[in-house]
């Protein structure tokens, strides 16, 4: 069981063939385990094996595990700050993660994301584009506003790449 992925564990828990008294006794526990596994799936971590040591996780994986644990708490009024949460994610996993982030906002939370992925940026309520370049040639607010407003700022590299994506929506 320890080499089982989170995806496999979720399926295993959902399909346990318990009957009668066993099903009654295990119902709440299985519901809680299933819920926690679903949160991990929702943040794109279904590929991780259950025996994976925390020390071997990437920064993005650790960040998403913390995010998944917060999803279960149903807190409101929290500010979440995420640094490049989509790094290394497959396109479909990015879409799923965006759904999670939007749910957090719908619950009354604030989500601040440092990100270069244009698929993430175009879904933001507000974008702050720092530049004009990276490193020592950056740090100035080049543009801010909705993704559409940033796309109209000629000095914004982000806006230049964002504009065609927004036009195709």
């Amino acid at each position: 069981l320890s080499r089982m992925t989170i995806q496999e564990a979720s399926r295993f828990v959902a399909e346990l063939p318990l009957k009668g008294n066993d099903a009654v006794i295990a119902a709440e526990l299985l519901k809680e385990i299933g819920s926690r596994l679903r949160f991990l799936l929702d943040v794109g971590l279904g590929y991780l094996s259950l025996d994976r040591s925390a020390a071997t996780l990437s920064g993005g994986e650790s960040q998403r595990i913390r995010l998944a644990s917060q999803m279960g708490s149903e807190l409101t009024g929290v500010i979440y700050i995420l640094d490049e949460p989509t790094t290394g994610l497959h396109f479909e996993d990015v879409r799923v993660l965006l759904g999670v982030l939007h749910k957090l906002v719908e619950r009354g939370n604030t989500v601040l994301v440092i990100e270069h992925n244009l698929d993430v940026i175009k879904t933001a309520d507000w974008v702050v584009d720092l530049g004009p370049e990276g490193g020592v040639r950056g740090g100035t607010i080049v543009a801010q506003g909705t993704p559409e407003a940033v796309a109209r700022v000629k000095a914004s590299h982000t806006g230049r790449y964002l504009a065609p994506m927004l036009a195709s929506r």
Side-chain angles (χ1 to χ4, degrees):
L1 286 179
S2 67
R3 292 208 181 260
M4 188 179 282
T5 66
I6 290 169
Q7 176 88 38
E8 293 164 340
S10 180
R11 196 171 26 254
F12 175 81
V13 168
E15 296 172 355
L16 270 174
L18 299 177
K19 303 221 184 303
N21 204 32
D22 289 343
V24 171
I25 292 169
E28 279 304 309
L29 180 61
L30 291 176
K31 180 180 170 188
E32 185 63 28
I33 291 169
S35 174
R36 290 175 187 263
L37 290 170
R38 267 188 304 286
F39 292 140
L40 291 167
L41 292 171
D42 286 348
V43 295
L45 295 173
Y47 63 90
L48 291 178
S49 62
L50 298 178
D51 65 346
R52 180 93 177 257
S53 164
T56 67
L57 298 173
S58 72
E61 288 167 338
S62 296
Q63 184 171 239
R64 283 180 277 147
I65 286 174
R66 288 189 300 275
L67 182 61
S69 68
Q70 290 295 309
M71 288 296 296
S73 71
E74 299 198 19
L75 292 173
T76 59
V78 174
I79 298 175
Y80 294 91
I81 302 173
L82 305 171
D83 185 12
E84 302 274 354
T86 65
T87 300
L89 286 183
H90 180 273
F91 177 77
E92 177 60 20
D93 292 328
V94 170
R95 188 189 64 74
V96 171
L97 179 61
L98 282 172
V100 169
L101 298 180
H102 287 286
K103 282 181 194 170
L104 287 171
V105 171
E106 288 168 6
R107 285 186 191 167
N109 298 296
T110 299
V111 179
L112 183 110
V113 180
I114 296 101
E115 185 61 74
H116 290 91
N117 184 320
L118 292 171
D119 289 316
V120 175
I121 296 170
K122 75 179 184 183
T123 69
D125 293 328
W126 194 261
V127 176
V128 177
D129 185 19
L130 297 174
E133 301 293 333
V136 296
R137 292 181 297 221
T140 302
I141 296 176
V142 176
Q144 65 176 314
T146 64
E148 292 78 12
V150 170
R152 290 190 297 269
V153 176
K154 299 285 186 227
S156 170
H157 293 312
T158 301
R160 190 170 27 260
Y161 288 101
L162 196 55
M165 293 184 79
L166 296 172
S168 67
R169 281 207 263 188

